[in-house]
Amino acid sequence: MSDEVLVDVDGGVAVITINRPQARNAVNGAVARGIAAALDELEERKDVSAYVLTGAGGTFCAGMDLKGFLTGDFPVVEGRGFGGIVEAPPKKPIVAAIEGYALAGGCELALACDIIVASEEAKFGLPEPKRGLVAGAGGIMRLPRRIPYHIAMEIALTGDHFPASRLYEVGLVNHVTPAGEALAKALELARRIAANAPLALAATKRVIVESADWSGDEMFAKQGEIINPVFGSKDAMEGAAADGHRFAAGCDPYGHTRRVHVKECVR
């Protein structure tokens, strides 16, 4: 998309790379616009089912480019927020592959992803309070939803760096790899995800993300609005046939009714 953001598509997976290694991949306006532009295009591509977000040169992202910020170069895209992603993460699954530092805005980019793979040398942190700033790109909102309250408070209030091993212990990091192998592991996961049906992936992610705000009384109704169209899709019919099963016309495998025509449920 640009020199600052590289995109490579292969096997259903798009690798989005922040390419400012000389600045530890600090996010400036060009990076934010590049990520936003990449996602705008890739979300519409049928040959892409999953993403990997990473950084060039052995570092994920050291946060916002403070030098640029002081000169009025704001790394925010309208509608998508900081880094072109934190306020509007993609509908398709995205895996973060982290080497080196994921600090401040870099940590917040990771938190905007669905799965985090980090090398054993990776460091995470929200050091904004040490600089008189606040982690306003989702960090202090997402972190306590992902890990225990008191640990989130320690990370957010001290501004210290925390190793990948510690964040693996509390469930924020999915996999810890030897140094230099985070991208390979992230690609492995992304390819396994991309091998699944696109409609099912999008619906599954949407339910997981949105259901946090649903009440007990409405949760199954809201879930049905999202997942019912999947059960009448071509992917579902082909998947069921491949397993030697048939869906009953008008209901999904769990007995929930759905408004579809009978012809959608038979081959």
Side-chain angles (χ1 to χ4, degrees):
M1 307 304 296
S2 68
D3 291 340
E4 290 83 5
V5 176
L6 307 177
V7 178
D8 180 64
V9 176
D10 182 57
V13 176
V15 178
I16 302 171
T17 304
I18 303 172
N19 187 39
R20 299 188 71 217
Q22 75 285 355
R24 294 194 300 177
N25 296 320
V27 179
N28 60 6
V31 168
R33 292 188 295 272
I35 292 175
L39 292 176
D40 286 343
E41 176 187 336
L42 294 167
E43 288 283 81
E44 302 301 320
R45 287 180 55 167
K46 294 183 178 180
D47 62 330
V48 174
S49 295
Y51 309 117
V52 171
L53 179 64
T54 192
T59 290
F60 180 69
C61 176
M64 179 173 65
D65 187 328
L66 295 179
K67 293 180 180 178
F69 172 75
L70 293 173
T71 62
D73 181 24
F74 299 110
V76 175
V77 175
E78 184 176 358
R80 285 195 176 275
F82 174 81
I85 188 174
V86 300
E87 292 182 22
K91 295 178 182 178
K92 298 173 184 177
I94 181 167
V95 182
I98 298 175
E99 299 280 351
Y101 293 113
L103 301 176
C107 185
E108 291 172 300
L109 292 182
L111 289 169
C113 296
D114 303 308
I115 295 173
I116 298 176
V117 177
S119 85
E120 59 191 4
E121 296 182 352
K123 298 289 192 299
F124 295 76
L126 296 174
E128 283 87 346
K130 293 179 181 290
R131 302 167 181 165
L133 301 172
V134 177
I140 54 179
M141 293 186 289
R142 287 190 167 112
L143 198 60
R145 295 186 178 197
R146 310 285 173 78
I147 62 176
Y149 172 90
H150 294 100
I151 298 172
M153 279 294 191
E154 180 182 358
I155 293 170
L157 297 177
T158 64
D160 291 343
H161 296 180
F162 291 79
S165 58
R166 175 58 175 149
L167 296 184
Y168 173 79
E169 291 174 355
V170 299
L172 187 69
V173 171
N174 295 74
H175 299 273
V176 176
T177 73
E181 296 183 18
L183 178 58
K185 181 63 178 180
L187 278 169
E188 176 196 328
L189 283 167
R191 287 170 180 148
R192 284 162 52 195
I193 292 168
N196 295 323
L199 289 177
L201 289 174
T204 297
K205 175 173 175 175
R206 185 178 169 192
V207 170
I208 291 174
V209 171
E210 295 183 13
S211 62
D213 298 320
W214 296 345
S215 70
D217 292 336
E218 66 183 357
M219 57 192 300
F220 278 99
K222 285 187 172 292
Q223 174 182 259
E225 293 173 2
I226 296 170
I227 72 171
N228 285 349
V230 176
F231 289 104
S233 69
K234 181 180 178 182
D235 286 346
M237 297 303 103
E238 291 179 349
D243 286 338
H245 299 298
R246 301 288 185 183
F247 289 162
C251 65
D252 65 36
Y254 305 100
H256 303 132
T257 59
R258 54 192 171 92
R259 295 185 178 91
V260 298
H261 296 296
V262 172
K263 66 181 180 181
E264 293 181 284
C265 298
V266 296
R267 294 176 63 83

